[in-house]
Amino acid sequence: MCKNPKLNFIATSFVASTIALMSTSLLAHTRLETPEVTEGIRVTNNVVIGHGCGEKNIIGTSVVFPDGVDSTITVDGAPYTGKITDFIENWGNLNQKIYSTAVFKFQDEKVDDLGNVLGFWAGGGDSLPHNLAGFIPFRVSAATFKADSCAASVKVYVSVADICEITPISGFSADTVNLWTHNNLGTPYDRAVDPASPTADDGPASLTFKRAALPTSCGTTGKVVEVKPSAAQINRDMPIKLNGTQVWPAP
Amino acid sequence: MQRYQIKQSTRMLLLALSLGYAGMSQAHEESGVMGEQADFLGYALVSCESPSSYFEAAIKDLSGAVAGLYVNLQIIKGSQADSTTDPVSGDNDFSSYARVDGGTGTYQLLVNKTAAGLRAFEVSFHCKVDNGLPGGEHTETRITVKQFSSLNN
């Protein structure tokens, strides 16, 4: 025990503040550093991992953007049967992983059959301490709104899995993976419903593209568009694969 | 026998090392093989960011010469369009560049051919700003491939 009362106070305060910081970080959902971007502007962004699985470090992360092919789209809250390219004409390959070994040593993009980027993963090397934040960089290319659309904004929901232990799907738990995903798609990657707030679906991160200027014919408000990935896409794109071999979840 | 426990993070490292990595393609060049069908179509959207003033692209037929079989490329933006054809297959030369002065925004890029038969090809494409110097200056270019097939067969 420290016999110097002043040092003892400092040590105790340090421990208390550390506990407070850890408690705060436990509340931090994984989110994008820049959740809103303006049309026509390219942005360097980060996926910000806020904490581990309890006191277990993060060893990897998987990030998926809706591909717009079979995504669920709403316009001002109402279902929309068209395509995301009805609003953002160059949607499909806007996001690019920026190479960085600051947190994890290995990384790559996830692509569709045509080579367009659907998401990315990073992992391996050192692990991210459970009490520290980690920045996973990527770049968002300039989006172009379709000239004749009245969309004022397009929000895409970004699904993220922060992995603490490589397990099969049957091993998913609060100790092995943090799922920042929708809770109502019916996939093994769905975030658990919060019993305290059963109607909330606040798992995924989001990236909102804001219109630079509405056509005058659209009035002053414009329409709010939201895009969720399909269950089929999440099942296909959430896993991490190296040269075609699935690494996570463990097969 | 002493048993070792491999950390999960090390396990990922070992797996990554053993499997190797995919190669990287050159920037602003795409290659592929158009299928047998005469109406095989490659369709992409190319985003040219500020301060782009135009988009240009050329195509090279990598396959051997076949009478009447040529590869084409078209660029479309709004009311402007341009096209180019590789006049000699397999000579390792690109066609002349097609160019549309459409400023920043999204250009449509199509590749197709004049008859049935497989064609390996390469496309060179660039968004540029006209800065008064020969060849202009490259600007940010991003491609999204929308289709690479025949829809009618």
Side-chain angles (χ1 to χ4, degrees):
Chain A
M1 178 182 289
C2 182
K3 291 186 179 177
N4 185 322
K6 186 173 181 182
L7 285 174
N8 197 34
F9 170 77
I10 292 172
T12 304
S13 298
F14 174 77
V15 170
S17 65
T18 302
I19 292 173
L21 280 172
M22 288 170 62
S23 301
T24 302
S25 70
L26 281 171
L27 299 176
H29 287 32
T30 291
R31 289 291 180 261
L32 302 190
E33 183 185 17
T34 304
E36 292 188 351
V37 300
T38 301
E39 174 186 15
I41 297 176
R42 176 167 24 97
V43 172
T44 299
N45 213 332
N46 284 282
V47 175
V48 182
I49 301 175
H51 60 83
C53 306
E55 295 192 0
K56 289 176 74 171
N57 294 355
I58 302 283
I59 62 170
T61 187
S62 174
V63 180
V64 175
F65 299 90
D67 61 9
V69 174
D70 57 355
S71 305
T72 300
I73 302 175
T74 60
V75 177
D76 289 343
Y80 180 77
T81 56
K83 298 181 179 179
I84 187 174
T85 48
D86 294 344
F87 308 105
I88 297 181
E89 65 178 19
N90 61 341
W91 182 259
N93 197 29
L94 286 182
N95 301 296
Q96 183 179 26
K97 179 73 180 69
I98 292 174
Y99 181 78
S100 169
T101 58
V103 177
F104 301 117
K105 191 174 174 95
F106 304 101
Q107 58 221 274
D108 205 352
E109 293 171 335
K110 306 183 183 199
V111 298
D112 66 11
D113 291 342
L114 295 172
N116 302 310
V117 176
L118 305 165
F120 50 82
W121 64 268
D126 204 354
S127 60
L128 174 61
H130 63 91
N131 60 318
L132 300 182
F135 277 34
I136 311 299
F138 70 103
R139 192 170 73 166
V140 186
S141 294
T144 304
F145 277 72
K146 206 157 177 225
D148 59 358
S149 92
C150 287
S153 65
V154 176
K155 175 187 281 189
V156 298
Y157 286 99
V158 185
S159 301
V160 182
D162 296 331
I163 304 151
C164 297
E165 183 180 334
I166 297 178
T167 68
I169 288 173
S170 59
F172 284 5
S173 74
D175 291 330
T176 63
V177 62
N178 289 330
L179 293 169
W180 307 109
T181 55
H182 292 285
N183 57 16
N184 52 16
L185 294 183
T187 79
Y189 306 95
D190 282 14
R191 181 173 173 78
V193 173
D194 180 359
S197 185
T199 60
D201 182 24
D202 59 352
S206 66
L207 179 60
T208 300
F209 296 86
K210 309 283 277 185
R211 191 80 173 266
L214 273 176
T216 52
S217 60
C218 296
T220 56
T221 308
K223 299 192 178 297
V224 174
V225 179
E226 297 196 351
V227 185
K228 284 172 52 173
S230 67
Q233 187 197 350
I234 291 297
N235 283 327
R236 183 193 67 213
D237 295 335
M238 266 330 257
I240 295 175
K241 297 178 182 177
L242 283 172
N243 279 4
T245 299
Q246 186 165 312
V247 177
W248 176 86
Chain B
M1 175 188 293
Q2 197 169 9
R3 302 177 79 178
Y4 295 91
Q5 187 130 20
I6 301 177
K7 288 194 307 181
Q8 289 286 4
S9 57
T10 305
R11 181 175 153 187
M12 277 189 95
L13 163 64
L14 291 173
L15 189 55
L17 287 174
S18 65
L19 292 175
Y21 300 92
M24 291 178 64
S25 60
Q26 283 186 293
H28 306 166
E29 289 180 359
E30 295 281 343
S31 58
V33 179
M34 284 189 264
E36 281 284 345
Q37 305 91 337
D39 62 353
F40 198 98
L41 179 65
Y43 171 47
L45 299 178
V46 178
S47 300
C48 293
E49 297 185 13
S50 179
S52 301
S53 52
Y54 64 95
F55 173 64
E56 66 178 19
I59 190 166
K60 182 197 300 183
D61 190 340
L62 301 173
S63 301
V66 173
L69 179 54
Y70 301 96
V71 295
N72 308 311
L73 175 153
Q74 298 89 36
I75 301 172
I76 303 169
K77 186 175 191 282
S79 59
Q80 300 182 70
D82 197 10
S83 70
T84 185
T85 299
D86 186 0
V88 180
S89 302
D91 66 346
N92 210 34
D93 286 335
F94 278 97
S95 66
S96 57
Y97 272 90
R99 167 175 166 165
V100 169
D101 289 51
T104 61
T106 306
Y107 293 75
Q108 295 170 294
L109 174 65
L110 300 103
V111 295
N112 38 58
K113 53 193 174 74
T114 55
L118 288 173
R119 290 284 101 182
F121 72 96
E122 188 175 330
V123 172
S124 176
F125 59 98
H126 314 280
C127 298
K128 287 187 173 179
V129 60
D130 197 344
N131 59 0
L133 296 176
E137 179 182 335
H138 284 245
T139 52
E140 192 70 22
T141 308
R142 190 84 179 149
I143 187 167
T144 302
V145 179
K146 308 300 287 186
Q147 178 187 327
F148 193 71
S149 63
S150 167
L151 293 182
N152 299 314
N153 290 286

